[in-house]
PDB file of all heavy atoms in Angstrom:
ATOM      1  N   THR A 402      -3.286   9.444  -1.278  1.00 98.00           N
ATOM      2  CA  THR A 402      -4.272   9.275  -2.297  1.00 98.00           C
ATOM      3  C   THR A 402      -5.542   8.962  -1.761  1.00 98.00           C
ATOM      4  O   THR A 402      -5.842   8.112  -0.803  1.00 98.00           O
ATOM      5  CB  THR A 402      -3.707   8.136  -3.279  1.00 98.00           C
ATOM      6  OG1 THR A 402      -3.614   6.928  -2.480  1.00 98.00           O
ATOM      7  CG2 THR A 402      -2.507   8.485  -3.987  1.00 98.00           C
ATOM      8  N   TYR A 403      -6.623   9.568  -2.308  1.00 98.00           N
ATOM      9  CA  TYR A 403      -8.034   9.323  -1.900  1.00 98.00           C
ATOM     10  C   TYR A 403      -8.891   8.840  -3.035  1.00 98.00           C
ATOM     11  O   TYR A 403     -10.158   9.047  -2.998  1.00 98.00           O
ATOM     12  CB  TYR A 403      -8.629  10.608  -1.435  1.00 98.00           C
ATOM     13  CG  TYR A 403      -8.371  10.990  -0.057  1.00 98.00           C
ATOM     14  CD1 TYR A 403      -7.138  11.563   0.355  1.00 98.00           C
ATOM     15  CD2 TYR A 403      -9.245  10.818   0.990  1.00 98.00           C
ATOM     16  CE1 TYR A 403      -6.893  11.882   1.704  1.00 98.00           C
ATOM     17  CE2 TYR A 403      -8.981  11.158   2.289  1.00 98.00           C
ATOM     18  CZ  TYR A 403      -7.796  11.785   2.614  1.00 98.00           C
ATOM     19  OH  TYR A 403      -7.518  12.064   4.000  1.00 98.00           O
ATOM     20  N   PHE A 404      -8.370   7.974  -3.850  1.00 97.00           N
ATOM     21  CA  PHE A 404      -9.139   7.428  -5.026  1.00 97.00           C
ATOM     22  C   PHE A 404      -9.849   8.562  -5.885  1.00 97.00           C
ATOM     23  O   PHE A 404      -9.204   9.348  -6.344  1.00 97.00           O
ATOM     24  CB  PHE A 404     -10.174   6.425  -4.513  1.00 97.00           C
ATOM     25  CG  PHE A 404      -9.534   5.070  -4.074  1.00 97.00           C
ATOM     26  CD1 PHE A 404      -9.708   4.664  -2.695  1.00 97.00           C
ATOM     27  CD2 PHE A 404      -8.704   4.319  -4.809  1.00 97.00           C
ATOM     28  CE1 PHE A 404      -9.057   3.506  -2.239  1.00 97.00           C
ATOM     29  CE2 PHE A 404      -8.078   3.247  -4.435  1.00 97.00           C
ATOM     30  CZ  PHE A 404      -8.367   2.726  -3.078  1.00 97.00           C
ATOM     31  N   ASN A 405     -11.183   8.712  -5.867  1.00 97.00           N
ATOM     32  CA  ASN A 405     -11.858   9.649  -6.542  1.00 97.00           C
ATOM     33  C   ASN A 405     -11.600  11.118  -5.968  1.00 97.00           C
ATOM     34  O   ASN A 405     -11.810  12.136  -6.588  1.00 97.00           O
ATOM     35  CB  ASN A 405     -13.286   9.474  -6.911  1.00 97.00           C
ATOM     36  CG  ASN A 405     -14.149   9.595  -5.607  1.00 97.00           C
ATOM     37  OD1 ASN A 405     -13.813  10.134  -4.636  1.00 97.00           O
ATOM     38  ND2 ASN A 405     -15.446   9.148  -5.715  1.00 97.00           N
ATOM     39  N   GLY A 406     -11.119  11.179  -4.708  1.00 98.00           N
ATOM     40  CA  GLY A 406     -10.691  12.471  -4.199  1.00 98.00           C
ATOM     41  C   GLY A 406      -9.406  12.957  -4.472  1.00 98.00           C
ATOM     42  O   GLY A 406      -8.900  14.032  -3.909  1.00 98.00           O
ATOM     43  N   GLY A 407      -8.670  12.157  -5.372  1.00 98.00           N
ATOM     44  CA  GLY A 407      -7.366  12.668  -5.862  1.00 98.00           C
ATOM     45  C   GLY A 407      -6.280  12.547  -4.781  1.00 98.00           C
ATOM     46  O   GLY A 407      -6.302  11.779  -3.828  1.00 98.00           O
ATOM     47  N   LEU A 408      -5.276  13.317  -5.100  1.00 98.00           N
ATOM     48  CA  LEU A 408      -4.093  13.419  -4.142  1.00 98.00           C
ATOM     49  C   LEU A 408      -4.308  14.597  -3.235  1.00 98.00           C
ATOM     50  O   LEU A 408      -4.480  15.782  -3.784  1.00 98.00           O
ATOM     51  CB  LEU A 408      -2.784  13.545  -4.991  1.00 98.00           C
ATOM     52  CG  LEU A 408      -1.448  13.661  -4.126  1.00 98.00           C
ATOM     53  CD1 LEU A 408      -1.151  12.274  -3.480  1.00 98.00           C
ATOM     54  CD2 LEU A 408      -0.274  14.181  -4.871  1.00 98.00           C
ATOM     55  N   GLN A 409      -4.200  14.425  -1.893  1.00 98.00           N
ATOM     56  CA  GLN A 409      -4.437  15.382  -0.991  1.00 98.00           C
ATOM     57  C   GLN A 409      -3.219  15.518  -0.161  1.00 98.00           C
ATOM     58  O   GLN A 409      -2.622  14.690   0.333  1.00 98.00           O
ATOM     59  CB  GLN A 409      -5.590  15.049  -0.070  1.00 98.00           C
ATOM     60  CG  GLN A 409      -6.837  14.900  -0.706  1.00 98.00           C
ATOM     61  CD  GLN A 409      -7.506  16.158  -1.172  1.00 98.00           C
ATOM     62  OE1 GLN A 409      -7.391  17.210  -0.591  1.00 98.00           O
ATOM     63  NE2 GLN A 409      -8.363  16.126  -2.331  1.00 98.00           N
ATOM     64  N   CYS A 410      -2.654  16.863  -0.135  1.00 98.00           N
ATOM     65  CA  CYS A 410      -1.455  17.125   0.621  1.00 98.00           C
ATOM     66  C   CYS A 410      -1.690  17.770   1.880  1.00 98.00           C
ATOM     67  O   CYS A 410      -2.616  18.621   2.040  1.00 98.00           O
ATOM     68  CB  CYS A 410      -0.517  18.072  -0.265  1.00 98.00           C
ATOM     69  SG  CYS A 410      -0.135  17.338  -1.905  1.00 98.00           S
ATOM     70  N   TYR A 411      -0.931  17.453   2.897  1.00 98.00           N
ATOM     71  CA  TYR A 411      -1.103  17.899   4.252  1.00 98.00           C
ATOM     72  C   TYR A 411       0.105  18.668   4.866  1.00 98.00           C
ATOM     73  O   TYR A 411       1.253  18.182   4.718  1.00 98.00           O
ATOM     74  CB  TYR A 411      -1.490  16.738   5.168  1.00 98.00           C
ATOM     75  CG  TYR A 411      -2.825  16.241   4.932  1.00 98.00           C
ATOM     76  CD1 TYR A 411      -3.083  15.154   3.968  1.00 98.00           C
ATOM     77  CD2 TYR A 411      -3.921  16.668   5.596  1.00 98.00           C
ATOM     78  CE1 TYR A 411      -4.277  14.675   3.795  1.00 98.00           C
ATOM     79  CE2 TYR A 411      -5.250  16.134   5.334  1.00 98.00           C
ATOM     80  CZ  TYR A 411      -5.391  15.126   4.461  1.00 98.00           C
ATOM     81  OH  TYR A 411      -6.677  14.655   4.149  1.00 98.00           O
ATOM     82  N   ASP A 412      -0.231  19.809   5.502  1.00 98.00           N
ATOM     83  CA  ASP A 412       0.782  20.491   6.326  1.00 98.00           C
ATOM     84  C   ASP A 412       0.795  19.891   7.708  1.00 98.00           C
ATOM     85  O   ASP A 412      -0.325  20.074   8.332  1.00 98.00           O
ATOM     86  CB  ASP A 412       0.498  21.985   6.362  1.00 98.00           C
ATOM     87  CG  ASP A 412       1.512  22.740   7.093  1.00 98.00           C
ATOM     88  OD1 ASP A 412       2.134  22.276   8.015  1.00 98.00           O
ATOM     89  OD2 ASP A 412       1.531  23.992   6.815  1.00 98.00           O
ATOM     90  N   ILE A 413       1.740  19.240   8.179  1.00 98.00           N
ATOM     91  CA  ILE A 413       1.713  18.507   9.444  1.00 98.00           C
ATOM     92  C   ILE A 413       2.797  19.160  10.409  1.00 98.00           C
ATOM     93  O   ILE A 413       3.359  18.539  11.264  1.00 98.00           O
ATOM     94  CB  ILE A 413       1.839  17.054   9.341  1.00 98.00           C
ATOM     95  CG1 ILE A 413       3.169  16.641   8.505  1.00 98.00           C
ATOM     96  CG2 ILE A 413       0.728  16.413   8.677  1.00 98.00           C
ATOM     97  CD1 ILE A 413       3.438  15.210   8.593  1.00 98.00           C
ATOM     98  N   ARG A 414       3.025  20.446  10.094  1.00 98.00           N
ATOM     99  CA  ARG A 414       4.142  21.186  10.890  1.00 98.00           C
ATOM    100  C   ARG A 414       3.644  21.062  12.363  1.00 98.00           C
ATOM    101  O   ARG A 414       4.510  20.823  13.229  1.00 98.00           O
ATOM    102  CB  ARG A 414       4.180  22.547  10.343  1.00 98.00           C
ATOM    103  CG  ARG A 414       5.332  23.340  11.120  1.00 98.00           C
ATOM    104  CD  ARG A 414       5.345  24.833  10.376  1.00 98.00           C
ATOM    105  NE  ARG A 414       5.252  24.662   9.006  1.00 98.00           N
ATOM    106  CZ  ARG A 414       6.391  24.603   8.194  1.00 98.00           C
ATOM    107  NH1 ARG A 414       7.558  24.457   8.702  1.00 98.00           N
ATOM    108  NH2 ARG A 414       6.280  24.424   6.834  1.00 98.00           N
ATOM    109  N   ASP A 415       2.367  21.401  12.702  1.00 98.00           N
ATOM    110  CA  ASP A 415       1.783  21.224  13.959  1.00 98.00           C
ATOM    111  C   ASP A 415       0.984  19.919  13.847  1.00 98.00           C
ATOM    112  O   ASP A 415      -0.127  19.939  13.448  1.00 98.00           O
ATOM    113  CB  ASP A 415       0.911  22.397  14.333  1.00 98.00           C
ATOM    114  CG  ASP A 415       0.399  22.222  15.656  1.00 98.00           C
ATOM    115  OD1 ASP A 415       0.636  21.281  16.403  1.00 98.00           O
ATOM    116  OD2 ASP A 415      -0.393  23.158  16.124  1.00 98.00           O
ATOM    117  N   PRO A 416       1.472  18.771  14.451  1.00 98.00           N
ATOM    118  CA  PRO A 416       0.556  17.553  14.443  1.00 98.00           C
ATOM    119  C   PRO A 416      -0.667  17.675  15.105  1.00 98.00           C
ATOM    120  O   PRO A 416      -1.500  16.797  14.879  1.00 98.00           O
ATOM    121  CB  PRO A 416       1.495  16.497  15.050  1.00 98.00           C
ATOM    122  CG  PRO A 416       2.457  17.252  15.874  1.00 98.00           C
ATOM    123  CD  PRO A 416       2.655  18.664  15.190  1.00 98.00           C
ATOM    124  N   GLU A 417      -0.842  18.590  15.882  1.00 98.00           N
ATOM    125  CA  GLU A 417      -2.142  18.667  16.647  1.00 98.00           C
ATOM    126  C   GLU A 417      -3.157  19.312  15.813  1.00 98.00           C
ATOM    127  O   GLU A 417      -4.451  19.258  16.041  1.00 98.00           O
ATOM    128  CB  GLU A 417      -2.023  19.401  18.008  1.00 98.00           C
ATOM    129  CG  GLU A 417      -1.210  18.825  19.010  1.00 98.00           C
ATOM    130  CD  GLU A 417      -1.226  19.459  20.347  1.00 98.00           C
ATOM    131  OE1 GLU A 417      -1.742  20.543  20.389  1.00 98.00           O
ATOM    132  OE2 GLU A 417      -0.592  18.937  21.348  1.00 98.00           O
ATOM    133  N   THR A 418      -2.764  20.133  14.805  1.00 98.00           N
ATOM    134  CA  THR A 418      -3.666  20.838  13.901  1.00 98.00           C
ATOM    135  C   THR A 418      -3.219  20.689  12.374  1.00 98.00           C
ATOM    136  O   THR A 418      -2.963  21.637  11.843  1.00 98.00           O
ATOM    137  CB  THR A 418      -3.930  22.343  14.191  1.00 98.00           C
ATOM    138  OG1 THR A 418      -2.558  22.883  14.174  1.00 98.00           O
ATOM    139  CG2 THR A 418      -4.490  22.553  15.613  1.00 98.00           C
ATOM    140  N   PRO A 419      -3.258  19.509  11.881  1.00 98.00           N
ATOM    141  CA  PRO A 419      -2.907  19.304  10.562  1.00 98.00           C
ATOM    142  C   PRO A 419      -3.962  19.848   9.598  1.00 98.00           C
ATOM    143  O   PRO A 419      -5.102  19.999  10.018  1.00 98.00           O
ATOM    144  CB  PRO A 419      -2.901  17.592  10.312  1.00 98.00           C
ATOM    145  CG  PRO A 419      -3.881  17.123  11.343  1.00 98.00           C
ATOM    146  CD  PRO A 419      -3.676  18.161  12.501  1.00 98.00           C
TER     147      PRO A 419
END
Side-chain angles (χ1 to χ4, degrees):
T402 57
Y403 273 81
F404 292 120
N405 72 11
L408 181 72
Q409 301 285 329
C410 301
Y411 288 90
D412 181 337
I413 53 173
R414 191 177 311 272
D415 179 0
E417 294 187 356
T418 57

